[in-house]
Amino acid sequence: MAAPMTMAQQQPPQQQPHVSAQQQQSQLQQSQGNQQQQQDFDPVHRFRLLIPQLKECLQNLMKIAAQNLVQNTNIDNGQKSSDGPVQRFDKSLEEFYALCDQVELCLRLAYECLSQSFDSAKHSPNLVPTATKPDAVQAESLSYTQYLSMIKSQIACAKDIHNALLECSQKIKG
């Protein structure tokens, strides 16, 4: 048989779980904040948030256009419209265009990010581990010194191309 537990052994310390819960809560809030920041900068996520707004705005625009059309038809037929003031179509159209512009910007930014990612993978296919994600080190990743030497060679190549273009332009000038 097991020995009876004393009073101190039976009660877990009260302070420790409370501090642990506070730490977990603050870590959870911090990670949620980081995720929110990432989502704010992610053009695809922003695009997905704008689509329902765009749909709603288009529905509103069509409803206002229909109301204006009915009111104008009634006026043309000599009937008085019993409806109250009709919303302005130009304001709704302007709101729709503003959302379309935001969607276009998100898509252009997403395309630029994708192009940059492809170019980065093409010209620097090996990853460099960052200080924020040291666990992301892979077998084919470069060390920082290797990365620096690769960047220096790319800069030297860009300077050579620049000098060749300058030389060519001066030969063309005569």
Side-chain angles (χ1 to χ4, degrees), residues 82-142:
S82 62
D83 294 339
V86 180
Q87 292 179 321
R88 291 185 52 177
F89 179 74
D90 58 342
K91 297 281 185 189
S92 299
L93 187 62
E94 201 59 40
E95 182 182 338
F96 177 74
Y97 281 147
L99 279 173
C100 285
D101 289 343
Q102 288 181 25
V103 166
E104 180 184 9
L105 287 174
C106 286
L107 290 175
R108 285 182 190 226
L109 181 60
Y111 178 75
E112 286 296 319
C113 289
L114 185 64
S115 297
Q116 187 176 15
S117 175
F118 284 151
D119 289 343
S120 177
K122 180 180 171 185
H123 299 294
S124 177
N126 297 330
L127 301 174
V128 177
T130 62
T132 57
K133 294 183 181 178
D135 58 332
V137 176
Q138 297 174 350
E140 70 264 1
S141 64
L142 296 174

Side-chain angles (χ1 to χ4, degrees), residues 41-162:
F41 294 123
D42 183 18
V44 175
H45 179 74
R46 177 95 171 110
F47 170 77
R48 287 182 179 157
L49 290 177
L50 285 174
I51 292 300
Q53 292 176 12
L54 187 66
K55 182 181 176 184
E56 181 182 322
C57 187
L58 181 61
Q59 289 173 346
N60 188 37
L61 178 69
M62 291 297 129
K63 183 179 85 173
I64 291 171
Q67 289 172 351
N68 283 342
L69 187 61
V70 167
Q71 184 180 22
N72 288 342
T73 303
N74 288 339
I75 290 172
D76 288 345
N77 291 336
Q79 300 172 353
K80 269 216 157 187
S81 176
S82 62
D83 294 339
V86 180
Q87 292 179 321
R88 291 185 52 177
F89 179 74
D90 58 342
K91 297 281 185 189
S92 299
L93 187 62
E94 201 59 40
E95 182 182 338
F96 177 74
Y97 281 147
L99 279 173
C100 285
D101 289 343
Q102 288 181 25
V103 166
E104 180 184 9
L105 287 174
C106 286
L107 290 175
R108 285 182 190 226
L109 181 60
Y111 178 75
E112 286 296 319
C113 289
L114 185 64
S115 297
Q116 187 176 15
S117 175
F118 284 151
D119 289 343
S120 177
K122 180 180 171 185
H123 299 294
S124 177
N126 297 330
L127 301 174
V128 177
T130 62
T132 57
K133 294 183 181 178
D135 58 332
V137 176
Q138 297 174 350
E140 70 264 1
S141 64
L142 296 174
S143 70
Y144 188 68
T145 55
Q146 291 171 326
Y147 176 73
L148 282 179
S149 66
M150 182 182 66
I151 294 299
K152 287 178 183 178
S153 68
Q154 288 178 347
I155 291 172
C157 182
K159 284 181 182 178
D160 290 344
I161 292 172
H162 177 74

